Amino acid sequence: MHRGNALDLMQTIHDLIDFRSFSNLWYWIALAAIWSTASHRVLGIPFDMVMRARRLGGAAEQDLQDIVRVHVARILYIGREAGVILMAMLSFALTSLALLGFIYRVEFCQAVFLIALPLSIVALLSLTTAARIEERDEQGEALRRRLSMHRIMVQAIGIVSILITAFWGMLQNMNVSILPG
């Protein structure tokens, strides 16, 4: 009897840590949380600060400009100092995930790839936006407009990513449930 309880516990743990990602509720919750966070934090800055600066001006505007200056400098420093190494490592990781996921059919790697690829596009977009802000020394309305456009592009990438992931996930779940064995 004691052995049966241990097997039930192991089965429960296995069910909770199921690597069939597309049928796992936690994957979809994580996907929603990732894209919600990505669209709320523009260049690492909470978007409510942009809205508050637009609405109130004054000190809120100055706070926004100060935090943007800090985040832009940080993003550009990382890009300039470690950009080539990070790009090589990211390329290796994405290629490995794509090969393992779509050639060798490891569903967990497919799921991670479908999150990591669009997020890497967002990272590149953030680097480009930061460079434009620094280059043009944007402030005030121009800065708020740039951050709003960046947010819209991140949201568009997120929507397309979620749609592609949902369709791929449904296809994988249908293939698993239809095919025997």
Side-chain angles (χ1 to χ4, degrees):
M1 187 69 171
H2 181 70
R3 178 103 168 119
N5 289 338
L7 290 177
D8 291 341
L9 177 65
M10 292 305 292
Q11 182 63 39
T12 302
I13 291 172
H14 180 267
D15 290 343
L16 285 174
I17 310 174
D18 185 9
F19 282 108
R20 287 199 24 236
S21 303
F22 297 116
S23 62
N24 192 328
L25 178 63
W26 291 109
Y27 176 77
W28 297 105
I29 291 171
L31 182 71
I34 286 167
W35 283 111
S36 175
T37 302
S39 68
H40 177 67
R41 298 190 70 83
V42 179
L43 299 181
I45 302 155
F47 195 73
D48 62 289
M49 287 188 74
V50 177
M51 300 305 293
R52 193 175 330 119
R54 177 175 288 140
R55 195 174 57 250
L56 301 176
E61 183 79 36
Q62 188 60 48
D63 289 347
L64 176 65
Q65 287 180 185
D66 290 342
I67 198 166
V68 167
R69 181 183 46 77
V70 169
H71 280 270
V72 163
R74 185 180 136 270
I75 290 167
L76 292 176
Y77 175 77
I78 292 169
R80 290 174 182 145
E81 293 296 318
V84 174
I85 293 170
L86 288 174
M87 184 60 79
M89 289 171 33
L90 180 65
S91 297
F92 174 77
L94 287 174
T95 302
S96 298
L97 286 171
L99 288 173
L100 287 169
F102 298 102
I103 302 298
Y104 293 103
R105 300 197 180 276
V106 178
E107 186 174 318
F108 180 74
C109 293
Q110 293 172 2
V112 173
F113 179 82
L114 289 171
I115 293 175
L117 180 65
L119 284 179
S120 64
I121 294 169
V122 168
L124 186 59
L125 179 65
S126 296
L127 185 63
T128 304
T129 301
R132 285 190 180 138
I133 290 170
E134 182 188 61
E135 174 187 311
R136 297 179 182 157
D137 193 28
E138 293 179 330
Q139 299 179 4
E141 180 59 32
L143 176 61
R144 291 191 308 269
R145 192 175 325 112
R146 172 80 58 201
L147 293 173
S148 295
M149 286 305 300
H150 179 81
R151 182 178 193 223
I152 289 169
M153 289 188 282
V154 169
Q155 288 174 332
I157 293 168
I159 289 169
V160 170
S161 171
I162 289 170
L163 285 173
I164 290 171
T165 303
F167 283 124
W168 184 258
M170 285 189 296
L171 180 66
Q172 296 307 304
N173 287 335
M174 287 187 338
N175 284 339
V176 167
S177 64
I178 291 173
L179 297 177

